[in-house]
């Protein structure tokens, strides 16, 4: 049975000794601006529908009130940290929340994970396909529980713990290998939100004060993909947000700078394997 709490409705949940999982539906009557605090567990959040436009977050007790970083499809809040989340749009959003007991992670790794400024920022946008895949498997199991669901949740939570440990260590390695500073990545993300023209490599390099060669090398180290691939994926995510807001396909196409709706539909299908209409139908908006 669904449980309602303010603007959050719990659709389904599973629990195990070391982890708890919930499928939740958020409804925002106005652009959200809220602070939540995780006292005892790691909180992983996977957005199953596009996040509201310009979703971003801050750790006000660490960063002060002015610094916000992009909030990705998957983010992590460590225990004992207060996170403030904002966006520029209202509406509905579905997410999978997974909370993991830090004592279990201490036992597995015989150490605590370190959460300094660099690691906190990296945790707001976890672009790790393994983590996303494990979270999607938890979402499927929570929606349609089967035999030994509790044991499966515990096993996947343990895998997630391992991947998070590797991810955190990878953040340290990226810094040593010459990845881009968080403020440079933030400037690039902010530029990609500007419509309709996409930036050139030279423009982005000038924006962050690097040569094109330094930008392309550092960006690949930081994001594990090329600048071009990242720009293309960012445009896809922006298109999904527009389609989820019930903006017409035609308006979305021209806002994103396409010459015609048909060229947008072709590009969207090539990137996502479904048409804009099929995407809207899948997320419950019809055609």
């Amino acid at each position: 049975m669904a449980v309602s709490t303010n603007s959050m409705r719990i659709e389904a949940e599973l629990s195990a000794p070391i982890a708890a999982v919930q499928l939740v539906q958020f409804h925002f009557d106005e652009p959200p601006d809220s602070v939540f605090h995780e006292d005892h567990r790691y909180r992983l959040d996977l957005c199953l529908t596009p996040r509201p436009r310009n979703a971003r977050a801050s750790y006000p007790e660490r960063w002060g009130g002015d610094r916000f970083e992009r909030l990705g499809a998957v983010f992590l809040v460590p225990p004992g940290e207060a996170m403030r989340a904002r966006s520029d749009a209202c509406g509905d959003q579905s997410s999978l929340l997974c909370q993991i007991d830090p004592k279990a992670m201490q036992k597995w790794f015989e150490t605590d994970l370190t959460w300094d400024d660099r690691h906190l920022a990296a945790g707001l946008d976890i672009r790790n396909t393994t983590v996303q895949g494990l979270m999607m498997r938890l979402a499927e199991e929570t929606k349609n529980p089967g035999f030994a669901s509790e044991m499966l949740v515990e096993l996947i939570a343990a895998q997630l713990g391992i991947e998070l440990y590797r991810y955190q260590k990878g953040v340290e390695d990226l810094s040593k290998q010459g990845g881009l500073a968080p403020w440079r990545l933030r400037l690039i993300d902010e530029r990609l939100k500007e419509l309709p023209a996409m930036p050139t490599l030279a423009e982005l390099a000038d924006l962050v004060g690097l040569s094109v060669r330094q930008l392309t090398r550092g960006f690949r180290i930081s994001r594990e993909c090329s600048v071009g691939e990242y720009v293309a994926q960012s445009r896809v995510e922006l298109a999904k947000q527009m389609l989820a807001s019930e903006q017409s396909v035609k308006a979305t196409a021209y806002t994103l700078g396409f010459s015609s709706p048909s060229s947008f539909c072709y590009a969207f299908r090539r990137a996502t394997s479904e048409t804009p209409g099929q995407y809207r139908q899948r997320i419950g908006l019809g055609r």
Side-chain angles (χ1 to χ4, degrees):
M1 180 180 295
V3 179
S4 296
T5 306
N6 298 326
S7 61
M8 184 184 83
R9 185 174 72 250
I10 300 174
E11 302 284 358
E13 55 187 332
L14 291 173
S15 62
I18 66 169
V21 186
Q22 296 176 328
L23 278 172
V24 299
Q25 180 79 19
F26 294 98
H27 176 75
F28 305 112
D29 290 323
E30 57 186 23
D33 185 350
S34 57
V35 177
F36 58 88
H37 192 282
E38 283 300 323
D39 290 325
H40 306 299
R41 292 193 170 194
Y42 286 97
R43 172 188 173 124
L44 267 169
D45 182 306
L46 166 68
C47 195
L48 300 172
T49 55
R51 293 200 186 280
R53 185 177 66 255
N54 195 21
R56 56 204 188 277
S58 174
Y59 286 97
E61 296 176 359
R62 299 273 202 133
W63 298 347
D66 297 328
R67 178 184 173 186
F68 281 82
E69 301 286 350
R70 179 182 184 275
L71 205 55
V74 179
F75 71 80
L76 172 72
V77 183
E81 298 290 345
M83 191 189 85
R84 183 177 187 179
R86 284 179 173 176
S87 75
D88 295 341
C90 52
D92 296 322
Q93 175 194 309
S94 297
S95 289
L96 176 80
L97 305 181
C98 177
Q99 295 176 307
I100 303 176
D101 186 349
K103 292 180 180 178
M105 295 184 69
Q106 283 179 333
K107 183 177 180 181
W108 298 331
F109 308 126
E110 298 182 349
T111 184
D112 288 324
L113 298 183
T114 301
W115 294 100
D116 56 18
D117 180 270
R118 183 171 69 251
H119 292 96
L120 287 172
L124 294 178
D125 186 8
I126 299 179
R127 293 173 175 262
N128 181 290
T129 55
T130 302
V131 171
Q132 293 188 15
L134 291 169
M135 292 288 283
M136 287 300 299
R137 181 66 186 90
L138 280 178
E140 294 170 7
E141 187 66 24
T142 306
K143 187 180 297 184
N144 300 295
F147 176 74
S149 287
E150 180 180 312
M151 182 179 294
L152 185 62
V153 168
E154 191 158 354
L155 290 170
I156 294 178
Q159 287 181 273
L160 282 169
I162 293 169
E163 292 301 329
L164 291 173
Y165 182 84
R166 291 176 174 176
Y167 181 78
Q168 193 200 51
K169 294 301 179 185
V171 171
E172 298 173 6
D173 293 340
L174 288 178
S175 178
K176 296 174 183 177
Q177 294 168 9
L180 298 185
W183 68 267
R184 286 192 164 104
L185 295 171
R186 183 169 67 253
L187 285 177
I188 292 171
D189 284 335
E190 289 172 353
R191 171 60 184 88
L192 294 181
K193 294 171 188 172
E194 298 177 11
L195 297 171
M198 289 190 292
T200 64
L201 270 176
E203 179 187 345
L204 292 177
D206 183 64
L207 178 68
V208 298
L210 297 173
S211 68
V212 170
R213 181 180 179 183
Q214 289 171 320
L215 170 65
T216 54
R217 178 181 179 278
F219 193 91
R220 183 173 287 279
I221 291 172
S222 295
R223 296 297 196 202
E224 298 183 340
C225 65
S226 71
V227 177
E229 290 168 339
Y230 186 81
V231 170
Q233 185 58 37
S234 296
R235 287 282 161 153
V236 170
E237 293 304 317
L238 187 55
K240 288 180 177 180
Q241 290 179 1
M242 292 179 179
L243 293 171
S245 69
E246 299 188 351
Q247 182 166 315
S248 70
V249 173
K250 182 178 180 180
T252 298
Y254 290 131
T255 300
L256 290 173
F258 285 87
S259 59
S260 67
S262 60
S263 61
F264 165 66
C265 291
Y266 175 80
F268 188 88
R269 184 170 187 173
R270 186 175 61 182
T272 67
S273 300
E274 58 185 353
T275 67
Q278 289 169 336
Y279 171 74
R280 294 182 70 171
Q281 190 172 44
R282 181 168 61 80
I283 65 175
L285 292 179
R287 291 183 179 274

